[in-house]
Structures are given as structure tokens and as C-alpha cells.
Amino acid sequence: MKAAGCACIDSVTATYFRSDGGDKFLVGDFYGKRPVDPDNFPQRASETDLEEMIERANRRVPKIENAEVLRE
């Protein structure tokens, strides 16, 4: 994706993604238990949740299959 490209919200895979600078790709999801208490929820995805999210995003963007995961 281009550095200043647009974001994609994919309701089929329940993921969103966008470029983040020239060499990073930001992936997130909007899948999970509802309702969620906005004052008390995990700030980071668990390893299992992260794996599932990456698999779903990879269905839409196959080129990220071998990408490195960077958690900040």
C-alpha cells in the first residue's frame, strides 16, 4: 500500500487495515464480544486473537502472509 493511501474496512473478514508510513501496514479488527465496557477492556490483543486477526486480514491481502509482526 502507498504511504498516504486510504484505509480499508472489510466487513467480510471483520478487519481494517491501512498503510502506516512507507514500510508498515496497520491491521485491526472489529470482531469480538459485545457489549464491551469501554472503561475496562484489554489494550492489546492476545496472541491467539492476534493470530486470528492476521489470518483474516491475510485472506484479503495475501501479500502480508510473510510480514513481520511489530507490536508497539
Side-chain angles (χ1 to χ4, degrees):
M1 294 183 83
K2 295 180 181 178
C6 62
C8 177
I9 298 172
D10 185 353
S11 60
V12 174
T13 63
T15 58
Y16 62 87
F17 43 88
R18 66 172 174 82
S19 59
D20 187 29
D23 63 344
K24 293 182 184 73
F25 190 71
L26 177 68
V27 177
D29 74 352
F30 50 94
Y31 178 81
K33 297 178 183 176
R34 302 290 191 261
V36 174
D37 179 356
D39 296 320
N40 184 25
F41 67 95
Q43 297 295 311
R44 294 174 60 116
S46 70
E47 292 298 319
T48 301
D49 291 341
L50 185 60
E51 237 180 77
E52 291 172 3
M53 179 175 32
I54 291 169
E55 286 175 14
R56 287 185 278 124
N58 188 48
R59 278 185 261 161
R60 184 63 61 218
V61 186
K63 287 193 173 202
I64 66 170
E65 181 177 17
N66 297 317
E68 182 179 340
V69 175
L70 174 66
R71 293 179 74 155
E72 293 182 6

